[in-house]
Each structure stands twice: as C-alpha cells, then as structure tokens.
Amino acid sequence: MKLSQLLQNTSLSFENSDLEISGITSDSREVKAGFLFAVLDNGVTNGAQYIPQAVQAGASVILAPKSEQATAANVLFLHSENPNKDFGIMLKNFYHAQPQNIAAITGTNGKTSIADFVRQMIFALGDNAASMGTLGLIKNDQAPLPFNNTTPGAMTIHKTLHDLKQDGFEYLIMETSSHGICQYRVSGVDFKVAGFTNLTQDHLDFHKTMQNYYEAKKLLFTDIMPKGGTAVLNADIQVFDDLQKACLEAGHKVISYGHKGKDIQVLQEEPLNNGQNIKINYFGKTFDLFVPLAGDFQVMNILCALGIASALTGKKEELLPLVPQIKGAKGRLQYIGTTAKGGAVYVDYAHTPDAIENILTSMRSHTQNKLHILFGCGGDRDKTKRPIMGKIAQDLADFVYVADDNPRTENPETIRQEIMQGCPNALNLGDREKAIAYAMNQLEKGDVLLVAGKGHETGQYINGKILPFNDEEVVEKYL
C-alpha cells in the first residue's frame, strides 16, 4: 500500500506519498522491511524507546508524537499531535474492510450484558452478529474467544473487524472502556451507534477524578463516532443533559431511555421468581413485556439494548418478541442453583460501589427471606472504593462475607481490612473458595446469596500469578 493511501483522513500529509508500505504495527517485534512503526501512548510505557529496534528491523516510516526528536538515516518520521488517533485511521485504511453496522457501548456498568443482548437479538432476527468485550469475541451463539482487555489494542481490533467482514458478519457490538476510548484504541472504527449506560466511581486510579473519567468516555461521541451516528443515552443519569447536548452538537441523533426516557421509557415493573413483567413506552406506543432476568438494572440494560438494536437494524417492534428469549450474559447475575436447604446462589461481576448497590437493591424484591453477599476488591486498583463498597453491602444485605478477589501484588489481608472499615459487622473470611462454601452453608429456605466481583473470570491474580479459579464452578462444587 502506498503511503498516500495510508494517510487518507489522518492529520498527516507528506510529499513523498508514493512510498510503498509493506506493513503497519505498533509492536517493534513485528516490524519487517518497509513497515510503518507507530509510537503510541498506552499510559504505561513510552513507545519511543523501541524506535531503534524498529529501525534495525527495517522500518521505513516512524509515526511519532511531535515532541519526539529521534532521527535515523533513510527513515521517514511523521510527527502527529495524536499518534494514537492517526494510527487507528491508518489501520482502517490498511485493513480496509469492516462490518457495515458497528455499535459501541460505554459506561461504568452494564456494557457486557447490553452487548450480549444486542448480539442475541440480531442473531435471532437471522443475521450474523458478533460482540466484543470483557467476555471476548462471540460470533452468533458460539463459545467466546478471549481477549486480555475489555477493549483490545487497535491492531487487534482492526484485524478482528477485517476477519469478521471476510467471514460474512455485518453486525458487531463492541464494549468500549474509558481506557480504550481515551487511548484511541477504537479510532478508525466506523461506529453507527454508540450507547452510554451510566457513570459511577471506577478507574480513579487511572483517571484521578470523576470529571476526567466522564470526559474520557464522552470522547467516543464527540471525537470518534463519525458524524451522523445515533447516541443511545440513559436519561436517568446526572450527565445526561451535557452528554445529549454534546451529541447533538457533534451531529448525532439521540435516543433516550430509562425512567425519564423520551423514546424508550419504563412505566411499571413487577418482580417475579423467574424474572419480571414490565410495561414500557416504546417509540410512542405502550407494550407489556416479560423480561427473564432479575433486577431493575437488567431492565435498564434491556431498554438500552432495544435502543441500540433498533438504531443498528432499523427495526423496532420486531425486536420486542425477542426479549423473553434473552439469556443473561455469563457471570452477570447468573443463577447457578439452589442449595439443599432451599437457598438460591447467583454469581455476578459487580465490582464497583454502584454495581453492588444496584444488584443488592434489585435482588431484595426477589428475596423471600435473607439476602447474603460475598465479595472482595481487586488489588492495585482504586483503593477509595473499598470502604464505600463495604458500607453499601452492610446497609443493603442481611449477611456480608468479605473474601479475596484478585489481590494481584497487594496484601490480601490489607485489602479486606480496608473493606471492613465500611462493614465492621461483616465476616472476614479471606480464602475465596472456603468463604463461598461457608456462605452457602448458611443459607436457609428463601435466602439468596450473591457471589460478587469476579463473574465470568476463570483465574485469580495472586502475587502476580494467575491461578485457576471460577466462581461458578466453585458454587456448583458445593451445591
């Protein structure tokens, strides 16, 4: 590919645009003769340190920030104000093919469930649909192919888009994390639709303030989704007015949903043992629906999924009969089974204050007797949320068990003690498997136990190592 083709729609131009580019990468270990090597900012390492390695391997072009002063003989340096953003657009030009209908979903909680619900709906309509995110890449109803991050690196994303197009997939729903957005890992993706679920405390170890966290997510709508897209926004959240204004100014249509939603509004909710009945106003008409999932937050997830699916497919009422068929995403308020004494056990990924509050509040109406929760907090992450989560758990549950989550490189006991500051009446049990077994043994008929924090995860990070661990399997072992 010629350099002129690679630079189309980027912020860059160069007179020697007939230069032939044989490949493009941000990993110096992949560079071969004639490659373009991109120096990116991933918030951890400085890519500029790998320029000599890339030059030695035969790179003919280096994409670098304007502050980078390195030079090399017979190597063209392209300096950009935002190399991450330009690199994403270059990848789009290089790989050329993407599914025709791509949606993004961002927000603190709900991304995985919503992406999964939209994929299920579109596949049920008879189209090939994929979802990409925390669970990995899921094609139609196949088993997931795992990724390391909710939002993978730009190279992985664009290779995946190309492969999906080649495999006949025209629909893709992507989870987009705040890290992935502000680092422009999704730059160059032609999003037609983008959804925003909510904004609550998370990732402050990276973003420092809630305002920075919000601004990172807002970039998806103001700087990444091409003009003329559709924004599906939660009308119940504090930032709705600001976000709606920003979307309209960016040239997008807005679909609002929620208890205050104008386009998709929930009017009534009736909790049931096997889900809930809801009444909604859906684009000007009223409908009664059965949702086979527990919790008010799942109703919100369904509303958002309907908004995204309708904007992506152009279909509206055809989607409603599909809702009762929807299955919960892996590890998202997943019912595992009932103990011999009659207590129900659920596994959920909730690992933020808002998520813990939502799931406990929602499950209270589905609990006939006592509500139990077992959870911990991850190490090397936002420490300020630990006592907050503890207090929420103590306030909203009848019994609280504090266990290890993913301590990573931190002392597990220290993490648990910080949680216990907010829930002094909780039991500090430590070892996660033993804690789950103990908590399950305490259940009586009509009780509910929520095993929260790890959800679908199949490993536990301890002292920098990943040890096999799966909440679902542990619960099944002791049922």
Side-chain angles (χ1 to χ4, degrees):
M1 174 177 282
K2 294 192 181 299
L3 183 59
S4 58
Q5 297 172 295
L6 201 60
L7 298 183
Q8 285 180 4
N9 299 315
T10 69
S11 67
L12 304 161
S13 62
F14 194 78
E15 58 185 17
N16 187 18
S17 57
D18 286 338
L19 182 66
E20 194 70 30
I21 302 298
S22 59
I24 176 172
T25 185
S26 59
D27 186 338
S28 60
R29 296 166 296 185
E30 296 180 355
V31 174
K32 296 178 182 178
F35 266 50
L36 180 146
F37 171 67
V39 175
L40 303 183
D41 176 14
N42 65 4
V44 180
T45 58
N46 179 10
Q49 65 183 300
Y50 301 109
I51 290 177
Q53 184 178 340
V55 171
Q56 181 68 29
S60 58
V61 179
I62 304 290
L63 171 66
K66 288 203 169 181
S67 58
E68 180 54 48
Q69 300 299 314
T71 59
N74 301 317
V75 176
L76 172 63
F77 277 77
L78 298 174
H79 292 97
S80 168
E81 292 281 2
N82 189 337
N84 290 42
K85 182 177 181 179
D86 281 329
F87 182 59
I89 299 171
M90 289 181 185
L91 286 168
K92 173 189 174 182
N93 295 335
F94 187 80
Y95 286 104
H96 194 60
Q98 299 184 13
Q100 185 175 353
N101 305 292
I102 307 177
I105 179 68
T106 195
T108 308
N109 301 308
K111 297 186 295 295
T112 300
S113 291
I114 293 166
D116 205 68
F117 296 166
V118 177
R119 175 185 53 77
Q120 289 182 51
M121 287 181 185
I122 296 176
F123 179 56
L125 289 173
D127 293 299
N128 287 327
S131 57
M132 181 192 299
T134 306
L135 300 180
L137 176 68
I138 304 177
K139 299 178 180 179
N140 292 332
D141 59 353
Q142 299 175 18
L145 304 171
F147 288 129
N148 291 330
N149 299 306
T150 297
T151 308
M155 289 284 298
T156 300
I157 287 174
H158 282 274
K159 285 180 180 177
T160 302
L161 295 181
H162 176 270
D163 292 345
L164 285 171
K165 178 71 173 182
Q166 296 301 110
D167 291 342
F169 283 78
E170 292 297 354
Y171 289 92
L172 171 65
I173 304 89
M174 290 178 57
E175 295 180 56
T176 49
S177 67
S178 56
H179 295 68
I181 295 169
C182 69
Q183 292 173 4
Y184 285 89
R185 296 182 212 159
V186 290
S187 174
V189 180
D190 286 335
F191 294 115
K192 280 190 172 181
V193 183
F196 195 106
T197 63
N198 46 51
L199 186 76
T200 59
Q201 183 173 337
D202 200 14
H203 303 305
L204 295 192
D205 53 313
F206 179 82
H207 295 291
K208 308 305 180 187
T209 69
M210 286 297 294
Q211 186 62 32
N212 290 344
Y213 181 38
Y214 168 56
E215 294 296 337
K217 289 187 173 294
K218 190 163 73 168
L219 284 172
L220 173 64
F221 302 86
T222 59
D223 202 34
I224 293 177
M225 183 165 65
K227 183 178 179 179
T230 300
V232 181
L233 310 179
N234 183 347
D236 298 346
I237 60 176
Q238 190 174 358
V239 296
F240 171 72
D241 289 338
D242 179 80
L243 188 56
Q244 177 177 238
K245 180 183 177 186
C247 289
L248 293 173
E249 289 176 350
H252 304 315
K253 176 186 175 183
V254 171
I255 292 176
S256 66
Y257 72 92
H259 295 89
K260 301 177 182 176
K262 291 184 179 179
D263 302 287
I264 307 176
Q265 181 184 24
V266 58
L267 303 173
Q268 292 178 12
E269 299 174 58
E270 178 193 2
L272 305 170
N273 290 336
N274 60 340
Q276 48 201 316
N277 288 325
I278 65 172
K279 183 185 292 290
I280 64 171
N281 186 317
Y282 183 65
F283 297 106
K285 296 182 181 180
T286 302
F287 296 92
D288 292 313
L289 285 177
F290 170 69
V291 177
L293 306 162
D296 176 71
F297 67 95
Q298 290 285 37
V299 172
M300 295 295 286
N301 289 342
I302 288 289
L303 300 188
C304 184
L306 284 169
I308 292 174
S310 65
L312 209 55
T313 64
K315 298 177 180 178
K316 289 186 171 65
E317 293 184 23
E318 298 95 321
L319 300 171
L320 297 180
L322 306 177
V323 172
Q325 305 171 25
I326 283 178
K327 297 178 181 179
K330 191 80 169 173
R332 270 60 180 178
L333 198 54
Q334 182 181 355
Y335 169 72
I336 308 301
T338 299
T339 66
K341 294 180 184 177
V345 186
Y346 290 81
V347 168
D348 192 80
Y349 189 54
H351 61 281
T352 66
D354 179 68
I356 292 290
E357 181 175 1
N358 281 340
I359 196 168
L360 287 174
T361 302
S362 297
M363 288 308 294
R364 176 60 72 181
S365 60
H366 295 269
T367 304
Q368 297 173 348
N369 195 14
K370 301 295 185 182
L371 181 57
H372 305 238
I373 183 169
L374 182 150
F375 77 103
C377 288
D380 304 326
R381 298 294 186 268
D382 182 6
K383 296 182 180 182
T384 65
K385 68 182 183 181
R386 294 171 185 173
I388 297 173
M389 290 170 63
K391 185 176 188 311
I392 291 170
Q394 182 167 288
D395 289 346
L396 298 179
D398 298 300
F399 295 96
V400 179
Y401 313 96
V402 178
D404 294 334
D405 189 284
N406 292 316
R408 296 183 176 87
T409 63
E410 281 195 67
N411 184 323
E413 177 63 29
T414 300
I415 296 173
R416 296 197 307 275
Q417 288 295 344
E418 291 176 354
I419 297 170
M420 294 288 292
Q421 291 174 16
C423 52
N425 297 331
L427 287 179
N428 184 345
L429 298 178
D431 181 275
R432 193 171 182 93
E433 178 168 347
K434 292 180 180 178
I436 291 173
Y438 178 86
M440 289 174 62
N441 194 48
Q442 306 310 303
L443 299 181
E444 300 292 341
K445 184 176 181 180
D447 285 3
V448 169
L449 169 65
L450 297 168
V451 179
K454 291 177 59 59
H456 65 284
E457 293 178 357
T458 57
Q460 189 174 24
Y461 291 67
I462 302 176
N463 291 327
K465 296 180 179 179
I466 304 177
L467 306 178
F469 196 96
N470 182 280
D471 282 350
E472 179 184 354
E473 292 178 357
V474 172
V475 172
E476 289 176 340
K477 176 179 176 181
Y478 292 103
L479 277 175

